[in-house]
Amino acid sequence: MPSDIAIIGAGYVGLPLAVAFAQAGQRVHCIDTDPDKVDAIAAGRSYISDVGDDVLAPLAASGMLTAGGDFAAVADTGAILICVPTPLSDNREPNVSIVAAAASAIAPHLRPGQLVVLESTTYPGTTRELVAPLLERDGLRAGQDFHLAMSPERIDPGRTDHTVRTTPKVVGGLTPACTDRAVALYAVCVDTLIPVSSPDAAELVKLLENIFRSVNIALVNELAMLCDRMQLDVWEVIDAAATKPYGFMRFTPGPGLGGHCIPIDPFYLSWRARQFDFQTEFIELAGKVNTTMPYFCVERISEALNQARKPVNGSRVLVLGVSYKPDVGDVRESPALKLIELLGGLGADISYHDAFVPDLLEQGLDLRSVELADGVVESADIVCVVTAHSGIDYADLAGRAQLVFDFRNAVPRDGGKVHVL
Ligand code: SAJ
C-alpha cells in the first residue's frame, strides 16, 4: 500500500514525527539503515522513550506506520522528510555525510510533484548547496519539478509539556510555492507553522535557538568561576536575578555542556561563518568556557578533599548522575565522562550511580551503575552530584555521606560537608 509520507531516519526525531503524522491519518513509511529499528517498528515495539509501545503498536498493526530499508519506497509517497544525524567530525567540523547519503539515495526514486524537507540541524546553505544538487542528479529541478524546503526539528527528548503538535514549526522553502507545500503538509499534525523566506533562514533559526543556550550557559558558568573567586553564592545570585519578571531567562551553571545538540550545533555556524571571513567570537568563547567547566569542577573536588586531608589519589569518588541532563539516559558529550576521566587520571577510585545509565562500557569505561545501598554512600570519600536526576532523596544522601560536592544545587546546604559549585 503506498504511503503519504516517507521519513528517512527513524531516530529520536523521525519516529515521534512519524507517529504524529500517522495519528493524524497519514500513512507513513520510515526508512532506516538500522534493521533493528525497522524490525522494532514493524513489531510495534518502540526504542524511543518518548514513544510508547501502546502508541506505536496500533499504528504498526493498522499499517498506518510501516518501516523498511529500501529507498525505492519513497517513489510512492507525496513527501519525503530527512531526519538523519548531523554530528561533528573528529576535528570538530560539520559532518553532513549522512544527509548527503540520504539525498543521494532518494534521487533515483524522486518523482515530479513530490516534496522533500530537510529536518536535520545544519549550517545555513546545506539545503540549497548540498541537498538540492544531489536530488537534481537525474534531471528534476528543485523548486520547479519537485518542492524542496527546510524545517528544523524541535524534538526535545523527555519533554512532555510540548508535543510535536503544540510546538510551532519553522518552514523555509526554496520558493514560496515550496514553503506553501511544506506548510500544508505539516499543518495536519502541527498547530502553528512559521514560514520563513528561505531554507537558509530556517537553518539559521535552529542554530540561533541552540547557540542562545550555549552562550547563556557559558555566561553563568563563567559567573560560577568568578563567584568562587569572590566567595559569593552564584545560585543565590541567579535565583535573585530570576525574580525579574521581564528581560531575564534563568540558566544554571554546571560541570559542562552535554547532549547531541547544544555542544555541537554552534560549531556548525562558526564553521560556515569562516567561509564568509567572519569569526563568531561569542560561539568560540562560549565553547571555551563550557569546555573549561569539567576541569574547574575537578579542581573544586580536589579542594574539598584536601580540606578533609584526603588526596584525590586513592579517594573513593561516587558520581551521582552521568547522563547529559536529568531524567534521560543519553550520555553523549556528557561532562560526567570528562570528570570521570580527569579524576581517574588523578588516581581516584571512581564509581557511579545512574538509574538511567546501567553501564559505561560503550564509552570505554569498565563501570556499571551501583545501587545506593550497602554502605556505598557512606564509604565514599566524596559524593559528587553531577546530573541531578529526580527521584533521589538528596537530603538523605547528604546525611549519609562523609562529604558531598553538589554541582547542581540539588542538595540542601548544611554549611559543612556539602560543598556547592
Ligand atoms: N545545561 C546547563 N545549564 C542550563 C541548561 C542546560 O548546564 O541552564 C546543560 C545541561 O546539563 C546539558 C546541556 O547544557 O548538559 C544541554 O542541556 P539543554 O537543556 O539545552 O538540553 P538539550 O541538549 O536536550 O537541548 C534540547 C534542545 N532541543 C532541540 O534542539 C529541539 C534545545 O533547543 C532545547 O531548548 C532544550 O532541549 C530544552 O530546553 O530542554
Side-chain angles (χ1 to χ4, degrees), residues 153-157 159 206 209-210 213 217 221 250-254 256-262 265 324-326 335 408:
E153 59 90 1
R154 280 181 168 172
I155 304 278
D156 181 23
R159 183 175 288 280
K206 170 68 180 199
E209 288 169 12
N210 284 354
R213 293 184 68 76
I217 292 165
N221 279 336
R250 187 175 188 272
F251 288 88
T252 55
L257 215 49
H260 46 274
C261 303
I262 309 304
D265 297 353
Y324 83 88
K325 74 175 183 181
R408 296 293 185 182

Short mmCIF file of all heavy atoms in Angstrom, two decimals, residues 153-157 159 206 209-210 213 217 221 250-254 256-262 265 324-326 335 408, ligand 1:
data_model
loop_
_atom_site.label_atom_id
_atom_site.label_comp_id
_atom_site.label_asym_id
_atom_site.label_seq_id
_atom_site.Cartn_x
_atom_site.Cartn_y
_atom_site.Cartn_z
N GLU A 153 14.08 20.44 13.17
CA GLU A 153 13.39 19.65 14.21
C GLU A 153 13.46 20.41 15.54
O GLU A 153 14.45 21.08 15.84
CB GLU A 153 14.02 18.27 14.34
CG GLU A 153 15.50 18.24 14.70
CD GLU A 153 15.76 18.19 16.20
OE1 GLU A 153 14.78 18.16 16.99
OE2 GLU A 153 16.93 18.20 16.58
N ARG A 154 12.38 20.28 16.31
CA ARG A 154 12.34 20.87 17.65
C ARG A 154 11.90 19.82 18.66
O ARG A 154 11.19 20.10 19.62
CB ARG A 154 11.37 22.07 17.69
CG ARG A 154 11.96 23.35 17.12
CD ARG A 154 10.97 24.49 17.20
NE ARG A 154 11.58 25.80 16.93
CZ ARG A 154 10.88 26.92 16.79
NH1 ARG A 154 9.54 26.88 16.87
NH2 ARG A 154 11.48 28.07 16.55
N ILE A 155 12.35 18.57 18.41
CA ILE A 155 12.00 17.48 19.32
C ILE A 155 12.95 17.53 20.51
O ILE A 155 14.16 17.54 20.34
CB ILE A 155 12.16 16.10 18.61
CG1 ILE A 155 11.32 16.05 17.34
CG2 ILE A 155 11.83 14.96 19.57
CD1 ILE A 155 9.85 15.72 17.53
N ASP A 156 12.38 17.61 21.70
CA ASP A 156 13.24 17.65 22.89
C ASP A 156 12.99 16.38 23.69
O ASP A 156 11.99 16.28 24.41
CB ASP A 156 12.89 18.89 23.73
CG ASP A 156 13.78 18.96 24.94
OD1 ASP A 156 14.86 18.37 24.90
OD2 ASP A 156 13.37 19.57 25.94
N PRO A 157 13.87 15.39 23.57
CA PRO A 157 13.63 14.10 24.24
C PRO A 157 13.32 14.27 25.73
O PRO A 157 13.98 15.03 26.42
CB PRO A 157 14.96 13.35 24.04
CG PRO A 157 15.52 13.94 22.79
CD PRO A 157 15.12 15.40 22.82
N ARG A 159 10.75 15.70 27.01
CA ARG A 159 9.84 16.80 27.33
C ARG A 159 8.39 16.37 27.11
O ARG A 159 8.08 15.74 26.10
CB ARG A 159 10.16 18.02 26.47
CG ARG A 159 9.31 19.26 26.78
CD ARG A 159 9.77 20.45 25.99
NE ARG A 159 11.05 20.95 26.49
CZ ARG A 159 11.16 21.73 27.57
NH1 ARG A 159 10.10 22.06 28.26
NH2 ARG A 159 12.35 22.19 27.95
N LYS A 206 17.32 27.53 13.73
CA LYS A 206 17.59 26.43 14.66
C LYS A 206 18.92 26.65 15.36
O LYS A 206 19.05 26.46 16.58
CB LYS A 206 17.62 25.11 13.89
CG LYS A 206 18.12 23.93 14.69
CD LYS A 206 17.16 23.53 15.80
CE LYS A 206 17.72 22.36 16.55
NZ LYS A 206 16.74 21.64 17.31
N GLU A 209 18.62 29.21 18.06
CA GLU A 209 17.92 28.69 19.26
C GLU A 209 18.91 28.00 20.19
O GLU A 209 18.87 28.16 21.41
CB GLU A 209 16.84 27.70 18.82
CG GLU A 209 15.63 28.33 18.16
CD GLU A 209 14.72 27.29 17.50
OE1 GLU A 209 14.89 26.08 17.73
OE2 GLU A 209 13.83 27.73 16.75
N ASN A 210 19.80 27.21 19.61
CA ASN A 210 20.71 26.43 20.46
C ASN A 210 21.97 27.18 20.84
O ASN A 210 22.53 26.96 21.92
CB ASN A 210 21.03 25.09 19.78
CG ASN A 210 19.84 24.14 19.91
OD1 ASN A 210 18.87 24.45 20.60
ND2 ASN A 210 19.92 23.01 19.25
N ARG A 213 21.35 29.14 23.89
CA ARG A 213 21.51 28.38 25.14
C ARG A 213 22.99 28.22 25.49
O ARG A 213 23.40 28.45 26.63
CB ARG A 213 20.84 27.01 25.01
CG ARG A 213 19.33 27.11 24.89
CD ARG A 213 18.66 25.76 24.86
NE ARG A 213 18.75 25.04 26.12
CZ ARG A 213 18.02 25.32 27.21
NH1 ARG A 213 17.17 26.33 27.18
NH2 ARG A 213 18.15 24.61 28.30
N ILE A 217 24.52 29.64 28.90
CA ILE A 217 25.04 28.67 29.87
C ILE A 217 26.50 29.01 30.17
O ILE A 217 26.95 28.99 31.32
CB ILE A 217 24.89 27.24 29.34
CG1 ILE A 217 23.40 26.86 29.25
CG2 ILE A 217 25.65 26.24 30.21
CD1 ILE A 217 23.13 25.63 28.40
N ASN A 221 28.27 29.87 33.70
CA ASN A 221 29.43 29.07 34.10
C ASN A 221 30.62 29.98 34.45
O ASN A 221 31.32 29.77 35.44
CB ASN A 221 29.81 28.09 32.98
CG ASN A 221 28.94 26.85 32.98
OD1 ASN A 221 28.37 26.47 34.01
ND2 ASN A 221 28.82 26.20 31.84
N ARG A 250 16.48 32.33 33.13
CA ARG A 250 17.34 31.65 34.11
C ARG A 250 18.09 30.49 33.45
O ARG A 250 17.48 29.62 32.84
CB ARG A 250 16.47 31.09 35.23
CG ARG A 250 17.23 30.50 36.40
CD ARG A 250 16.24 30.09 37.50
NE ARG A 250 16.93 29.70 38.72
CZ ARG A 250 17.33 28.46 38.96
NH1 ARG A 250 17.12 27.52 38.04
NH2 ARG A 250 17.95 28.14 40.09
N PHE A 251 19.38 30.54 33.55
CA PHE A 251 20.24 29.42 33.20
C PHE A 251 21.06 29.10 34.45
O PHE A 251 21.27 29.97 35.30
CB PHE A 251 21.16 29.76 32.02
CG PHE A 251 20.45 29.84 30.71
CD1 PHE A 251 19.87 31.03 30.28
CD2 PHE A 251 20.31 28.71 29.91
CE1 PHE A 251 19.19 31.10 29.08
CE2 PHE A 251 19.64 28.77 28.69
CZ PHE A 251 19.08 29.96 28.28
N THR A 252 21.52 27.86 34.55
CA THR A 252 22.26 27.48 35.75
C THR A 252 23.63 26.91 35.38
O THR A 252 23.78 26.25 34.35
CB THR A 252 21.47 26.40 36.54
OG1 THR A 252 21.19 25.31 35.66
CG2 THR A 252 20.18 26.99 37.08
N PRO A 253 24.63 27.15 36.24
CA PRO A 253 25.96 26.61 35.97
C PRO A 253 25.99 25.10 36.21
O PRO A 253 25.08 24.53 36.79
CB PRO A 253 26.84 27.35 36.98
CG PRO A 253 25.92 27.70 38.09
CD PRO A 253 24.58 27.92 37.48
N GLY A 254 27.03 24.49 35.72
CA GLY A 254 27.16 23.05 35.93
C GLY A 254 28.54 22.58 35.52
O GLY A 254 29.41 23.40 35.20
N GLY A 256 29.54 21.36 32.88
CA GLY A 256 29.86 21.43 31.45
C GLY A 256 28.62 21.22 30.62
O GLY A 256 27.51 21.15 31.13
N LEU A 257 28.83 21.11 29.31
CA LEU A 257 27.72 21.08 28.36
C LEU A 257 27.65 19.71 27.70
O LEU A 257 28.62 19.26 27.08
CB LEU A 257 27.99 22.14 27.29
CG LEU A 257 26.82 22.90 26.70
CD1 LEU A 257 25.91 23.44 27.77
CD2 LEU A 257 27.31 24.02 25.83
N GLY A 258 26.52 19.05 27.83
CA GLY A 258 26.39 17.73 27.22
C GLY A 258 25.27 17.69 26.21
O GLY A 258 24.61 18.71 25.94
N GLY A 259 25.07 16.51 25.65
CA GLY A 259 23.97 16.32 24.70
C GLY A 259 24.45 16.30 23.26
O GLY A 259 25.61 16.55 22.96
N HIS A 260 23.49 16.04 22.39
CA HIS A 260 23.82 15.91 20.96
C HIS A 260 23.45 17.18 20.21
O HIS A 260 23.52 17.22 19.00
CB HIS A 260 23.02 14.73 20.40
CG HIS A 260 21.60 14.78 20.84
ND1 HIS A 260 21.19 14.24 22.05
CD2 HIS A 260 20.51 15.38 20.31
CE1 HIS A 260 19.88 14.48 22.20
NE2 HIS A 260 19.47 15.17 21.19
N CYS A 261 23.02 18.23 20.92
CA CYS A 261 22.63 19.47 20.24
C CYS A 261 23.52 20.63 20.66
O CYS A 261 24.31 21.14 19.87
CB CYS A 261 21.18 19.83 20.59
SG CYS A 261 19.97 18.59 20.19
N ILE A 262 23.39 21.01 21.93
CA ILE A 262 23.98 22.28 22.36
C ILE A 262 25.49 22.33 22.23
O ILE A 262 26.03 23.35 21.81
CB ILE A 262 23.52 22.60 23.81
CG1 ILE A 262 21.99 22.48 23.93
CG2 ILE A 262 23.98 24.00 24.20
CD1 ILE A 262 21.20 23.32 22.98
N ASP A 265 25.82 22.10 17.81
CA ASP A 265 25.22 23.00 16.82
C ASP A 265 25.98 24.30 16.60
O ASP A 265 26.16 24.72 15.46
CB ASP A 265 23.77 23.30 17.22
CG ASP A 265 22.90 22.04 17.22
OD1 ASP A 265 23.40 20.99 16.78
OD2 ASP A 265 21.75 22.11 17.68
N TYR A 324 23.57 13.29 30.25
CA TYR A 324 23.94 14.69 29.99
C TYR A 324 22.97 15.69 30.59
O TYR A 324 23.29 16.88 30.73
CB TYR A 324 24.12 14.92 28.49
CG TYR A 324 22.86 15.19 27.70
CD1 TYR A 324 22.37 16.48 27.56
CD2 TYR A 324 22.18 14.15 27.08
CE1 TYR A 324 21.21 16.73 26.83
CE2 TYR A 324 21.03 14.39 26.34
CZ TYR A 324 20.55 15.68 26.22
OH TYR A 324 19.42 15.94 25.50
N LYS A 325 21.74 15.18 30.94
CA LYS A 325 20.80 16.07 31.63
C LYS A 325 19.85 15.20 32.43
O LYS A 325 19.77 13.98 32.21
CB LYS A 325 20.06 16.99 30.67
CG LYS A 325 18.98 16.38 29.80
CD LYS A 325 18.29 17.50 28.99
CE LYS A 325 17.15 17.00 28.15
NZ LYS A 325 16.51 18.09 27.36
N PRO A 326 19.13 15.80 33.37
CA PRO A 326 18.30 14.99 34.27
C PRO A 326 17.24 14.15 33.55
O PRO A 326 16.70 14.55 32.52
CB PRO A 326 17.61 16.06 35.14
CG PRO A 326 18.51 17.23 35.10
CD PRO A 326 19.13 17.21 33.74
N PRO A 335 29.34 15.85 30.39
CA PRO A 335 30.52 16.29 31.13
C PRO A 335 30.94 15.30 32.22
O PRO A 335 32.11 15.28 32.62
CB PRO A 335 30.10 17.62 31.74
CG PRO A 335 28.62 17.68 31.66
CD PRO A 335 28.23 16.81 30.53
N ARG A 408 24.83 20.82 41.12
CA ARG A 408 23.54 21.18 40.52
C ARG A 408 22.57 21.83 41.51
O ARG A 408 21.40 21.97 41.21
CB ARG A 408 22.87 19.90 39.95
CG ARG A 408 23.64 19.27 38.83
CD ARG A 408 23.68 20.14 37.58
NE ARG A 408 24.32 19.45 36.47
CZ ARG A 408 24.53 19.99 35.26
NH1 ARG A 408 24.13 21.21 35.05
NH2 ARG A 408 25.12 19.32 34.32
N1 SAJ B 1 22.74 22.99 30.91
C1 SAJ B 1 23.34 23.76 31.88
N2 SAJ B 1 22.68 24.85 32.35
C2 SAJ B 1 21.43 25.20 31.88
C3 SAJ B 1 20.83 24.40 30.90
C4 SAJ B 1 21.50 23.31 30.42
O1 SAJ B 1 24.45 23.47 32.31
O2 SAJ B 1 20.88 26.19 32.37
C5 SAJ B 1 23.44 21.85 30.37
C6 SAJ B 1 22.72 20.55 30.60
O3 SAJ B 1 23.12 19.95 31.81
C7 SAJ B 1 23.14 19.71 29.40
C8 SAJ B 1 23.38 20.75 28.31
O4 SAJ B 1 23.54 22.00 28.97
O5 SAJ B 1 24.33 19.03 29.67
C9 SAJ B 1 22.26 20.85 27.29
O6 SAJ B 1 21.07 20.99 28.01
P1 SAJ B 1 19.70 21.52 27.31
O7 SAJ B 1 18.77 21.86 28.41
O8 SAJ B 1 19.98 22.55 26.32
O9 SAJ B 1 19.10 20.20 26.65
P2 SAJ B 1 19.29 19.59 25.21
O10 SAJ B 1 20.72 19.47 24.83
O11 SAJ B 1 18.47 18.35 25.22
O12 SAJ B 1 18.65 20.67 24.25
C10 SAJ B 1 17.39 20.42 23.72
C11 SAJ B 1 17.27 21.32 22.52
N3 SAJ B 1 16.12 20.92 21.76
C12 SAJ B 1 16.22 20.87 20.42
O13 SAJ B 1 17.26 21.08 19.83
C13 SAJ B 1 14.97 20.52 19.70
C14 SAJ B 1 17.10 22.75 22.95
O14 SAJ B 1 16.76 23.55 21.80
C15 SAJ B 1 16.02 22.87 23.98
O15 SAJ B 1 15.84 24.24 24.35
C16 SAJ B 1 16.43 22.05 25.19
O16 SAJ B 1 16.43 20.68 24.74
C17 SAJ B 1 15.48 22.19 26.36
O17 SAJ B 1 15.02 23.34 26.59
O18 SAJ B 1 15.29 21.18 27.05
#
